[in-house]
Amino acid sequence: MSSIELICGNWGTTTLRAFGVSAEGEIVTDVRTAPGIASLSPSEQESTWFETVQEWGNVPHLICGMAGSNLGWLETGYVETPASAQSIADEVSWKDYDSRVVGIVPGLSGKGWIGQAERMRGEETELVGWLQRTSQRDAILCLPGTHTKWVTVEDGSITRFNTALTGELFSLLKEASILKSDTPQLHSISAFETGARLGLSDRCSDTLHGLFSARSELISGGVKPHQTEAFLSGFLIARDISGALETLKFEQETVHLIGEETLANRFAHVLTLAGVSSRYASSERCVAAGLFALAKTTGHL
């Protein structure tokens, strides 16, 4: 097994993923654990991190995600878009802890498609990693998740991005609304596609009105009790994609999906229904490649 040359972390609000990376940029070992940033004080985050990776040797540490937020143990700022690997690397905050050096990656800030303020933390590292793994200089990317990101890359730089609360809205609706079902759920492809086709339809110009169809379809028998979440998932993903299609006009473009594979596959399914091609890249591989690239750029590898 290759030796660990860089200890990396992707620390979110609820979970932590730590992994060791070799001199070739490959993941050697990893661990997924809780708690996330939200349930720990800054000093508890510090001790939790070092306890998690204590067996991995005395090499540089580099962490992205919420560890650099105002809830994190070492707050970092935001790099304005357009942003590149170099401009992000220039703002990594490094600190010595005895014989260990720890770097925290900054987030990104910028303007969205309609001029609104936008922020991201963690996804910037996935984007850096994706750029390291491809020769493409211009692209449209979608990072599905709790807060889905749509991103434009131009000439190798991250230029604009938009955030949609697709995943969070799905969770809230299925757990604490009239659309909540007490019946155990199965992911029904037919119900998912029914919801997606409704969400993509020209007749569905209003997300709020369309949402109630999950309730009315259930009452009328068009959607079975165990299919409610599949219908709702398809509808919300379709509305997310419809908004991006309308704004970015990317009918002839390939959308590059970065994320957890199951969720990314659902977005790919709806994109196909919308007549748009897509390509998938693993979130894990992109994060590792991004942290590795930033460590090299800052001279810590």
Side-chain angles (χ1 to χ4, degrees):
M1 184 174 70
S2 301
S3 62
I4 295 172
E5 299 297 328
L6 178 69
I7 296 173
C8 299
N10 184 9
W11 209 341
T13 304
T14 58
T15 58
L16 163 65
R17 181 178 179 237
F19 47 97
V21 176
S22 70
E24 293 74 38
E26 297 299 322
I27 298 174
V28 175
T29 186
D30 73 326
V31 61
R32 302 167 191 272
T33 186
I37 291 296
S39 58
L40 298 170
S41 69
S43 61
E44 289 171 331
Q45 293 168 34
E46 181 183 326
S47 60
T48 296
W49 172 256
F50 288 125
E51 287 168 9
T52 301
V53 301
Q54 61 184 338
E55 304 296 329
W56 292 358
N58 186 18
V59 297
H61 301 224
L62 187 56
I63 307 168
C64 67
M66 294 298 287
S69 73
N70 58 357
L71 302 175
W73 108 56
L74 183 60
E75 186 174 356
T76 59
Y78 292 90
V79 174
E80 288 280 344
T81 56
S84 63
Q86 183 65 62
S87 65
I88 294 170
D90 288 345
E91 299 302 321
V92 173
S93 294
W94 294 94
K95 187 174 180 179
D96 289 320
Y97 293 85
D98 296 327
S99 60
R100 300 163 295 191
V101 60
V102 177
I104 307 291
V105 179
L108 287 191
S109 64
K111 296 293 185 182
W113 304 331
I114 58 173
Q116 80 280 15
E118 285 285 353
R119 298 287 186 274
M120 70 165 65
R121 279 196 183 275
E123 295 96 343
E124 75 294 317
T125 304
E126 293 177 82
L127 294 167
V128 169
W130 183 84
L131 285 165
Q132 295 298 311
R133 293 165 55 85
T134 182
S135 59
Q136 257 185 272
R137 305 286 292 169
D138 301 280
I140 293 170
L141 299 99
C142 175
L143 289 76
T146 303
H147 300 146
T148 296
K149 295 288 192 294
W150 290 86
V151 183
T152 55
V153 168
E154 300 172 79
D155 195 24
S157 292
I158 303 158
T159 52
R160 290 188 301 163
F161 59 96
N162 252 40
T163 306
L165 278 85
T166 315
E168 183 172 357
L169 183 57
F170 174 69
S171 294
L172 290 169
L173 289 171
K174 72 184 181 71
E175 293 169 6
S177 80
I178 197 171
L179 304 181
K180 178 181 178 180
S181 175
D182 295 325
T183 304
Q185 297 293 298
L186 296 174
H187 184 66
S188 163
I189 297 297
S190 61
F192 179 83
E193 286 195 354
T194 300
R197 292 185 189 282
L198 174 64
L200 292 172
S201 171
D202 291 338
R203 295 170 299 178
C204 183
S205 60
D206 189 302
T207 298
L208 295 179
H209 290 168
L211 272 174
F212 194 77
S213 61
R215 174 67 175 170
S216 54
E217 288 285 349
L218 177 63
I219 294 171
S220 66
V223 172
K224 305 302 182 186
H226 66 275
Q227 299 175 330
T228 306
E229 289 183 12
F231 179 92
L232 181 60
S233 174
F235 177 79
L236 287 173
I237 290 172
R239 295 309 299 156
D240 186 349
I241 288 171
S242 290
L245 274 168
E246 183 177 344
T247 305
L248 294 180
K249 311 296 183 188
F250 60 76
E251 289 88 343
Q252 305 306 315
E253 297 271 2
T254 293
V255 174
H256 296 269
L257 294 162
I258 304 174
E260 184 273 324
E261 189 168 10
T262 299
L263 182 57
N265 283 341
R266 293 183 185 181
F267 270 74
H269 191 157
V270 180
L271 283 164
T272 298
L273 293 177
V276 179
S277 64
S278 63
R279 294 187 65 182
Y280 170 70
S282 160
S283 174
E284 295 181 357
R285 291 185 176 274
C286 287
V287 168
L291 290 169
F292 185 79
L294 292 171
K296 286 192 72 172
T297 303
T298 58
H300 286 82
L301 274 179

